[in-house]
Amino acid sequence: MMKKNSMLKSSLFLLSFILAVFMFTGQSCRISGDEDKAGKIMEFEYVDPLVKVLAEASYFKPAEAVSEVVRGENATLQFVVRPRNQITGLRVDVSPALNGGNALPPAKTGFVGYVKVGRSIWDYSRDRIVSASGYYPDPILEVESVDVDFGNTQAIWISIPIPADAVPGTYEGKITISGKSGKRSFSLSKNYSVKVYPVTVGNTSLWVTNWFSLDTSKLKLLNGGKSIEPFSEDHLQLIRILAAKMAEYRQNVALISPLALSEYEYTDGKWNIDFTNFDKIVNIFIEEKVIGKIEGGHIGRREGNWNSQFAVMVPNLTAGPENKFDMLRITEERAKEFYTAFFTALTAHLKEKGWDKIYMQHIADEPTEQNFNTYIEIAKFVKNIAPDMPLIEACHSKNLGGILDIWVPQLDFMDRDYEFYNAQNKSGKEAWFYTCLSPKGEYANRFIELPLLKTRYIHWLNFKYEIPGYLHWGLNWWNNNPFEEQTGIQYEGGNILPGGDCWIIYPGNGSILSSIRLEAMRDGIVDYELLKMLENKHPGKAREIVNRIIFSFTRYDNNIEAFRNHRRTLMEHLSEDAN
C-alpha cells in the first residue's frame, strides 16, 4: 500500500512538473501564420494611405491591399496594427513585388509617428479630423522597430518606387510583421499587390516651391543638435540632404537669396559684391535636380506692423552679422546707390552662370492695399535696372501697377478675383497661388487636422483652374522639438499657426524624414501631370474627371473610394493611348 502511494505521489509530481513546464513555455511560444490568425492576438489590417489613422482608432474593415500606379511614381500602402497586449519590438519586412520574372525595387518602410496639435484655430473645416488625445499621425519614422502600447494603433507606411521602365502588370508580394505580444513572439503576414499601368510620368511641369531655412539654427537638428559653422563642409552637406529630399518630392523651385548670401565691401566709392556663397547654394540645388527656377529672396520688408510701408535692406558694413542690413526707403541715396550696383552686378553674374533664364526676383512679401505704393516704388526701381528680370510675389493686392510677371495670391484671393488672375495666365504672364496659415474653412490646405485628400486636392485645383504654380512658406521652419507641439503663435495680430503650417518634413539623424502630408502633396503633383497628359490628347475626358472631384475652390468630393475610382479612370484613359 505504501509503495502504491509513493508511486502515485511520484506520478502526480511528474504530471505537475510537465504542466508547469508547458504553462511556462506556452507563454513564450511563437505564433506564426497568415492573416486568419492575426485576430487572436491583434488587429492587423490594410488601410488606404489617404486615411489618417489616429492612435485611438479601433475599427478597421478588412480590405485588399492594392496600390494602382503609373511608371515613374511611388506605390504607397498603409497597414495598421492594434494589439490586444503590449507589443515590443514591432518589425516590418516586405518581400519584393513580383510579376513572373519581373520585380519592383525594394520597398521603403516606416512607422507613422504621432505629434501634438495643442492650440485651436478659428474657421475650422467641416472635414476637420478630431483627435481625442490631441495627437495626430504625420512623420514617417525610419526606425527598425517600435513598441506599441495596449489600446494604441500603429500605422505602418510602405513606399515602392516604380521605375520608368517597369513592365506593366500586377506585382504581388508579402508584408510580414513580427515582435512580441506580451511574452509571446509572433510573426504574421499579409499579401499585397501593385498594379502598374502602361503609362509613364517623368519630370513634372507644375511649378512648386516650399520656402526653406538654410540657417544653422534649424539644420543643426539634422546634426544631433550640435552647432555647425555657416558654409562649412558640414553645413553644405546638410543643405545637400535637404535639397535631395525636395527633389525626391518633386519640388522644382528654390528660394535662394543672393542678397542674404553675398558678402559686401565698399571701397573708393564703389560696391564690391561677392556671390560665392550664393553660387555654392545654387549649385547644390542644381546638382540635386531641384532647380527648374530660382526665386531670388526678398530685398524689402515692412518698416513696422502689417500695414506699414516697405523699405529695402542695405548692407551696414559697421554692424555685426545679426545687424547686417539697415532699413532704408528706396528714395534715399544710399539705397539707390547700393541697389543700382547690386542689380547691375547680379544681372551680369546670372548671365555669366547661365542662370538668367531661370531666375526670378522677389521684392517684399505680401503687399496689401495699405502699402502697395511703396512696393511699386521699389519694384519700378529694380525694373529700371534689370528690365528683363521677372518679378514674382505673394500678394494681397491686385493694385500693383501691372509690374509683376508672376502673381501669387493666397488661394482665397485667387478664388475671389479669379477672373483677374486667370487673365494674367492668358496674357503671357503667370498667376500661381499659395496657402499658409490661411485660408481656413473649406479651402484645401496642408494642416495636420485636415484629411489627406484636402492636401492632395491642392494640385487638382491647379489643374481645374489652369494655375501653373504653387507656393508654401513652411518647409522646415522647425521649433526646438518638431516631434512635439506643431502649432505656433504669430504674435502680431494674434494669429495661431495651425499644426503643420510651419513644416512638412522632420529632422532625422543626418537625414530628412518625410510626412504623410508630403507624400499626399507629391502624389497630387503627379495627379496634375497625369491630367495634363490626358488633356493633351482628350481635353474633354480630363475635364470630366476633375469636375467629378473638384466642384469649386471650396467644394470637393471627400470620399476616398470615389477618388480612387476616378484616378483609376484617368490611368485607364491614358493606358488606351499607350497601347
Side-chain angles (χ1 to χ4, degrees), residues 30-31 41-42 44 79-81 83 86-95 108-112 141-148 154-158 174-181 184-190:
R30 184 170 189 84
I31 298 177
I41 58 171
M42 68 187 67
F44 175 36
F79 290 85
V80 295
V81 175
Q86 183 183 31
I87 291 179
T88 55
L90 176 65
R91 291 175 176 267
V92 179
D93 180 70
V94 181
S95 72
K108 185 177 181 179
T109 63
F111 297 96
V112 179
L141 307 177
E142 297 175 2
V143 293
E144 289 187 3
S145 66
V146 296
D147 297 337
V148 187
Q154 178 62 58
I156 299 166
W157 200 264
I158 297 170
K174 182 172 287 191
I175 172 177
T176 300
I177 60 171
S178 59
K180 281 192 173 182
S181 175
R184 299 190 300 179
S185 297
F186 68 87
S187 176
L188 298 168
S189 298
K190 276 186 177 291

Side-chain angles (χ1 to χ4, degrees), residues 275 279 345-356:
F275 293 108
D279 293 349
L346 179 60
T347 300
H349 187 73
L350 293 171
K351 286 182 179 178
E352 179 187 340
K353 290 288 186 179
W355 300 339
D356 54 310

